[in-house]
Amino acid sequence: MFLADQATHLAVAPAALYAFWQLTGLLGLVGGFFGNAGARIAWLLFGIGSLAMISSTAPAGGRAAATGLAALMWALASIFALRGLTLRPIVHNHPPQYQANPALHLHATIPAPTPAGDDHGDNIHPLQR
C-alpha cells in the first residue's frame, strides 16, 4: 500500500517499485549471509524502511501488532543476514614481516694519550684545544 501510494509521484509502476524493494531485501539478505559489509548495511536499512512503511500504513487498531509481527520476521531473517557479526575486536597475532634492529652504533675516534713528558709546556689536554 505504501509503495503504491508513493509510485503515484514517480514515473515507475507500483509493481516495478515493489519488485525493486524485494530485490533490495534479497540482495541484502544473501550478501549479508556471505559477510559483505555493504549488504549488511543495506539489510539493516531495508528492515528499518520496511517497519516504517508497515507502521505508517497499517490501520490504527492493528498497527502495533502488524509492526511487531514484521519486526519479529525481520529479526528472524537477520539471524542469517548478520551471521558471524560480532562486537569483539579482531586481533591478528602474526609475526612481523620485518626484523627491527634497535642497536645504536656510534663511531668515534679517540685520540691516543700523549706521553708524560710531551705536553708542550701548556698543560692543556689535547681534547680541550
Side-chain angles (χ1 to χ4, degrees):
M1 181 76 159
F2 180 86
L3 290 175
D5 292 340
Q6 296 303 313
T8 60
H9 305 296
L10 302 172
V12 178
L17 196 59
Y18 184 65
F20 178 73
W21 186 253
Q22 286 180 325
L23 180 65
T24 302
L26 182 64
L27 291 176
L29 179 67
V30 172
F33 180 79
F34 289 112
N36 185 314
R40 287 180 172 175
I41 292 170
W43 174 255
L44 292 173
L45 294 175
F46 172 80
I48 292 168
S50 296
L51 293 176
M53 285 189 280
I54 290 168
S55 178
S56 69
T57 57
R63 182 170 293 151
T67 306
L69 184 61
L72 177 65
M73 293 297 113
W74 178 59
L76 289 175
S78 293
I79 292 172
F80 298 104
L82 304 178
R83 174 186 68 90
L85 188 65
T86 180
L87 298 177
R88 289 177 286 166
I90 298 172
V91 178
H92 298 283
N93 290 326
H94 300 292
Q97 299 296 327
Y98 58 88
Q99 179 65 34
N101 191 3
L104 180 63
H105 298 285
L106 296 176
H107 299 285
T109 55
I110 301 174
T114 57
D118 191 24
D119 62 356
H120 303 291
D122 52 5
N123 292 333
I124 298 175
H125 193 272
L127 293 178
Q128 294 176 345
R129 289 185 189 169

